[in-house]
Amino acid sequence: MKHSRLITIGLTFLLSASLLAGCGTNAAPSSGSVSSNEKAANGHETVKPMAETFFIFDTVVNVKIYDDRATRDNFNEIEALLKDIDSKISRTLESSEIYQVNSQSGKSPVKVSPETFELVSKALDYAKRTDGKFNPAIGNLVTLWNIGHEGAKVPDGDLITAAKALSDYRLIELNEDSQEIYLQKEGMAIDLGSIGKGYAADAIYAYLEAQDFSSAIIDLGGNIYAMGSKPGGKMWNIGIQDPDKDRGNPIGTIQVEDKTIVTSGIYERFFIEDGKLYQHILDPETGYPVDNGISSVTIVTKHSTDADALSTTLFVLGIEDGLKFIENTPDTEALFISKEKKLYATSGFKDLLNKTNDSYTFAN
């Protein structure tokens, strides 16, 4: 099974990296797509999975490998891989490549690794395809709103205006020959939060494939990769989260094989001020969180980097424009869930979904 992708993994690094002991397990997982009753959903497994949980990217990461050959070393190497990604693309880690790019905005280009360069290139491609609805240059707006962290509140309007002025993705300059990134305006900041978890899921997939594993569940808090098929050859049964309920309560299930399922929803990270909910997906045009009647968007496709970017893109585009956009995207299906509990889906997603909650009905 070959899995061509954006990511190039340094396996030499993985085998030689010094590792930090332990992993984060004390944080509540983000709402996502996999039903909590995994055994009931997936049936009897012929191979008991080896599993590990990490906390990175402000997200609980769960990896389950369904293969008797899996060892603790495999999870140590996955942890090293995740830390390496964080050291490259984190906006807040002062030693990261993206932090250095942002700190040199308006001053000088910064040479980055091929992986970081390709990921920023991918993000810029989505920005161009969507006229900036997907925008990797909104780092200042993300910092200003600080949604998902303590003390989040609605910023002053003049601060939002100032942050918007520094969010022009067209001012991100890439030099492919030198692998350098330059932000043309001082104070600009790249944020890869809308594509980074998908990138990490693809990287874990590539690592597992290189180790000759073919059956696994990779879960980064709403970014699911169902690798291969279940032991015994059956398809994975994945729950689609009910946006109005706690994690593990699906509106229905889909059966997939070797696919990624990524959900963006208003229930993931938010705060409430004066009775109004402000969720974490920002509209680059207004500078405010998107408020267009959508509760969640779920994408099913082959590569999680694409699915991560697409779930954000469609959330910002809205239902009508989002469906038009995704129908022109090959081998990709999408489901919108509205606040009125209406379902809007591509024809392929309708065929996939086994709906189990009658309070949700199709509107298209």
Side-chain angles (χ1 to χ4, degrees), residues 145 151-156 270-278:
W145 281 92
K153 63 179 182 179
V154 178
D156 291 339
F270 62 88
F271 69 91
I272 297 175
E273 183 172 311
D274 296 331
K276 180 177 174 60
L277 184 147
Y278 295 88

Side-chain angles (χ1 to χ4, degrees), residues 84-136:
D84 182 50
I85 292 171
D86 198 36
S87 75
K88 290 181 170 72
I89 70 172
S90 170
R91 177 179 51 85
T92 58
L93 186 65
E94 293 187 7
S95 59
S96 81
E97 294 179 348
I98 290 299
Y99 188 96
Q100 297 305 313
V101 169
N102 292 344
S103 67
Q104 292 300 310
S105 61
K107 300 173 185 176
S108 63
V110 174
K111 184 177 178 61
V112 298
S113 63
E115 295 86 355
T116 299
F117 190 89
E118 287 188 65
L119 185 58
V120 174
S121 297
K122 184 85 166 178
L124 274 179
D125 180 60
Y126 272 103
K128 293 170 183 175
R129 288 173 57 194
T130 62
D131 292 325
K133 295 295 186 182
F134 181 91
N135 188 346

Side-chain angles (χ1 to χ4, degrees), residues 282-302:
L282 302 177
D283 185 337
E285 186 174 340
T286 67
Y288 283 80
V290 176
D291 184 10
N292 58 5
I294 296 174
S295 286
S296 70
V297 177
T298 297
I299 302 293
V300 177
T301 190
K302 181 59 178 174

Side-chain angles (χ1 to χ4, degrees), residues 264 266 279 281 290 292 294-295 297 311-318:
S264 291
I266 63 173
Q279 54 80 30
I281 301 173
V290 176
N292 58 5
I294 296 174
S295 286
V297 177
S311 66
T312 300
T313 296
L314 267 60
F315 205 107
V316 179
L317 282 172

